[in-house]
Amino acid sequence: MKTTLAALTLSLAALLATAFPLDRKAGSAAGAAAKEKRVQYAAWDDVNVIAHGLLQLGQGLKEHVDKTKVQMRDISTKMKVFNRTVTELGKESQRLREEGEALKVRARGLEDREGQLLNVTAELKEKAEEMQQERRTMGERLSRLERKVDSMLQGESGPADPRNKSEVRTIQLMLETQNRRIDDLIERIRLQQEKLDKQNVRIRTLQSQIQQSRLRPSPLASDPNGQEQGDSPAEMASDCHELFLRGETTTGIYTIQPINAEPFKVFCEMTADGGWTVVQRRQDGSVNFDQLWQAYEKGFGSLNGEFWLGLQKIHSIAGAGGYILNIKLSDWGNDLASIRLPFQLGGEETKYSLRIQETGTFSILESSLGTDATSGLPFSTQDQDNDQKNDTNCAKHLSGGWWFSNCGRSNLNGRYFQSPPPKQRHQRKQGIFWKTWRGRYYPLKSSVMMIAPAAIENKS
């Protein structure tokens, strides 16, 4: 546009110079007079050319002005959008700051309440200990009186004194009263402990929400393609029992996020006592469990059907210990068996070693896994032979992956056989079995393995 305007200006200047030439100072007066007569009037064609040039110049100037107005309107619109975006970002930042402050206040309030509950619990424990001491003292007194009464009844000290019997009866009544008071105190302590557990979960949740609110990106932030991004997800529970404590009571699929782990989906079995995280389910043979190490490490199958959650995920939940392994079995007569074992699962460096806590003598059912795993039992698959049998790969000899000791006590990840089982004995031992329930050569109908914090055991 600037080039066009410059060309038009030069053209007009040339035309004006041609149409109206300047007088020269040199020359005679007569010649000047004659020349003045010759150029006194411009030619009509020259006037038309000048007028046409002026029209073109005006038209060019008008187009330039119109384009400049459009550009100014675009710039003004963009400035309004920018100002509105900045205002909305300021409001959103203010809202996030207010939410963060509110969460901090709630967290401080819950911490104060936790401190109060801890004080109350400590007082109750002291009272319970005092009551226990009184109970022991009364028991000793009662024992002495009983011995005295026995000796009197046997004639060692003469006839029995009714006053001694009355005193014994009085002490027995006092002991019964003390026992009731102690039982009441123990129940109150249990209820206080449950409240403390819930308060701790809420405090951890609020602390995580505060951290998330600090790290949460603005909902108005956009990606390179101009698409708006959504808010970051809300803080997730670390296992199904924490979901239960938050009020979830429906069995189904949820997303959890254990500490120092990425979120993942699990199947939660919600009961009246708490939430159980299901880590294995066998029910119809729809999934092949004869998998290699990597599959057992990552997990496979469908959470709505048969599946293995994955050693990595199980370790992220129960790696720190303090969990219960709940195993439920059924046979083809629909008889059921249930085994509960306190356990801890090591990490990859231990080959996901299963360690069962020995709280006493194992029952017959528990011995199929508990006896061999008290010192830690590594996981084995066809391509990772970590069992305790030197001359045999138990996972290859049987089937699937399991915490094998010497191949013969249990394997809930073996081949699934429909009823009736195969006749060959070497085939039947490749099935799902629990030796101390139905024997090594009886392929079970179903199995479910679930885990939950040990605190749930006190409520069951």
Side-chain angles (χ1 to χ4, degrees):
M1 178 55 70
K2 291 182 179 179
T3 305
T4 304
L5 291 175
L8 287 173
T9 304
L10 291 174
S11 300
L12 287 174
L15 289 171
L16 288 171
T18 305
F20 304 101
L22 299 175
D23 292 341
R24 296 178 180 176
K25 295 181 179 181
S28 65
K35 186 176 181 180
E36 183 179 356
K37 288 181 180 180
R38 287 194 303 271
V39 298
Q40 184 176 3
Y41 301 103
W44 182 254
D45 293 338
D46 294 338
V47 173
N48 287 335
V49 170
I50 293 171
H52 183 68
L54 288 172
L55 287 173
Q56 288 182 343
L57 178 62
Q59 183 65 28
L61 288 172
K62 182 176 181 301
E63 292 176 357
H64 181 68
V65 169
D66 291 340
K67 290 184 177 179
T68 303
K69 287 181 178 180
V70 171
Q71 292 175 354
M72 290 298 295
R73 283 197 297 271
D74 291 342
I75 292 172
S76 177
T77 302
K78 291 179 179 178
M79 287 297 295
K80 289 180 181 178
V81 172
F82 176 77
N83 291 334
R84 186 164 57 250
T85 302
V86 171
T87 302
E88 291 175 354
L89 284 171
K91 291 179 180 179
E92 182 64 20
S93 298
Q94 180 64 26
R95 184 184 68 81
L96 291 174
R97 284 196 295 270
E98 291 174 356
E99 287 182 358
E101 292 299 327
L103 287 171
K104 288 180 181 178
V105 171
R106 288 181 62 190
R108 285 195 294 269
L110 286 173
E111 287 174 353
D112 294 339
R113 290 180 62 187
E114 183 186 22
Q116 295 172 1
L117 287 171
L118 286 172
N119 293 333
V120 172
T121 302
E123 293 176 0
L124 288 173
K125 287 182 178 179
E126 290 177 0
K127 290 182 180 179
E129 291 175 357
E130 292 175 0
M131 297 298 292
Q132 292 282 6
Q133 183 62 35
E134 292 180 7
R135 185 177 184 175
R136 286 192 294 269
T137 304
M138 297 301 292
E140 292 174 358
R141 291 180 59 187
L142 181 61
S143 297
R144 288 197 299 269
L145 285 171
E146 286 178 347
R147 286 196 299 270
K148 186 176 180 181
V149 170
D150 289 341
S151 62
M152 291 171 63
L153 292 174
Q154 293 174 5
E156 296 177 359
S157 301
D161 190 347
R163 288 178 298 176
N164 290 336
K165 294 183 178 180
S166 176
E167 186 177 356
V168 171
R169 179 58 182 165
T170 301
I171 293 175
Q172 287 177 339
L173 292 175
M174 290 175 61
L175 278 176
E176 291 175 359
T177 304
Q178 291 287 352
N179 288 336
R180 285 195 296 270
R181 290 176 60 188
I182 290 172
D183 292 338
D184 292 340
L185 282 172
I186 292 174
E187 180 64 19
R188 289 175 63 185
I189 291 172
R190 187 185 66 81
L191 293 175
Q192 290 289 345
Q193 189 61 47
E194 289 181 2
K195 291 180 180 178
L196 276 176
D197 292 340
K198 292 183 179 180
Q199 290 289 348
N200 287 331
V201 171
R202 291 173 183 170
I203 289 172
R204 289 199 303 271
T205 302
L206 283 173
Q207 289 173 342
S208 300
Q209 288 177 354
I210 291 171
Q211 185 178 4
Q212 289 289 336
S213 66
R214 291 174 181 171
L215 301 176
R216 183 187 305 165
S218 170
L220 296 174
S222 59
D223 62 14
N225 297 323
Q227 300 294 328
E228 291 188 353
Q229 303 290 337
D231 289 341
S232 61
E235 176 65 16
M236 286 174 281
S238 59
D239 61 13
C240 292
H241 187 59
E242 187 171 334
L243 284 170
F244 174 83
L245 294 177
R246 293 185 184 185
E248 297 290 348
T249 58
T250 304
T251 295
I253 297 175
Y254 295 86
T255 300
I256 64 171
Q257 185 176 16
I259 299 173
N260 299 326
E262 294 294 324
F264 54 87
K265 294 185 180 297
V266 295
F267 190 93
C268 294
E269 185 75 28
M270 299 300 187
T271 66
D273 302 315
W276 292 86
T277 305
V278 181
V279 300
Q280 185 250 35
R281 185 191 293 127
R282 308 292 305 276
Q283 60 187 16
D284 54 19
S286 58
V287 174
N288 179 18
F289 273 65
D290 195 15
Q291 302 282 344
L292 301 180
W293 178 266
Q294 187 175 6
Y296 272 99
E297 191 174 36
K298 301 296 183 184
F300 54 86
S302 170
L303 292 176
N304 288 315
E306 291 194 334
F307 70 92
W308 173 260
L309 184 61
L311 293 167
Q312 284 182 344
K313 296 174 182 176
I314 301 172
H315 169 69
S316 68
I317 300 173
Y323 269 72
I324 298 291
L325 174 62
N326 185 7
I327 301 173
K328 294 185 176 181
L329 309 173
S330 71
D331 61 15
W332 292 96
N334 293 324
D335 288 333
L336 304 177
S338 180
I339 305 103
R340 290 192 180 188
L341 297 166
F343 83 106
Q344 179 181 359
L345 188 67
E348 183 181 7
E349 68 281 358
T350 69
K351 303 298 183 183
Y352 301 101
S353 179
L354 178 71
R355 185 182 298 273
I356 301 297
Q357 180 182 352
E358 189 173 5
T359 57
T361 304
F362 289 113
S363 68
I364 294 177
L365 276 178
E366 295 170 345
S367 64
S368 282
L369 184 60
T371 302
D372 296 324
T374 53
S375 58
L377 205 58
F379 197 84
S380 292
T381 58
Q382 290 187 29
D383 56 336
Q384 287 269 3
D385 184 8
N386 302 314
D387 57 61
Q388 297 179 349
K389 198 171 182 64
N390 295 329
D391 57 348
T392 304
N393 183 336
C394 294
K396 187 179 293 185
H397 180 64
L398 300 177
S399 181
W402 189 248
W403 294 281
F404 293 109
S405 54
N406 59 356
C407 302
R409 290 183 176 269
S410 63
N411 180 16
L412 299 184
N413 291 333
R415 293 176 60 187
Y416 191 93
F417 292 118
Q418 300 285 349
S419 182
K423 295 181 179 180
Q424 290 77 10
R425 188 175 180 182
H426 72 278
Q427 288 183 335
R428 293 203 306 273
K429 70 180 181 182
Q430 293 182 344
I432 308 169
F433 70 90
W434 195 266
K435 184 176 180 180
T436 55
W437 188 46
R438 287 292 180 264
R440 183 181 180 186
Y441 300 101
Y442 182 98
L444 298 175
K445 181 180 180 181
S446 69
S447 70
V448 179
M449 298 171 61
M450 306 180 290
I451 61 174
I456 200 173
E457 189 77 0
N458 299 327
K459 303 176 184 179
S460 300

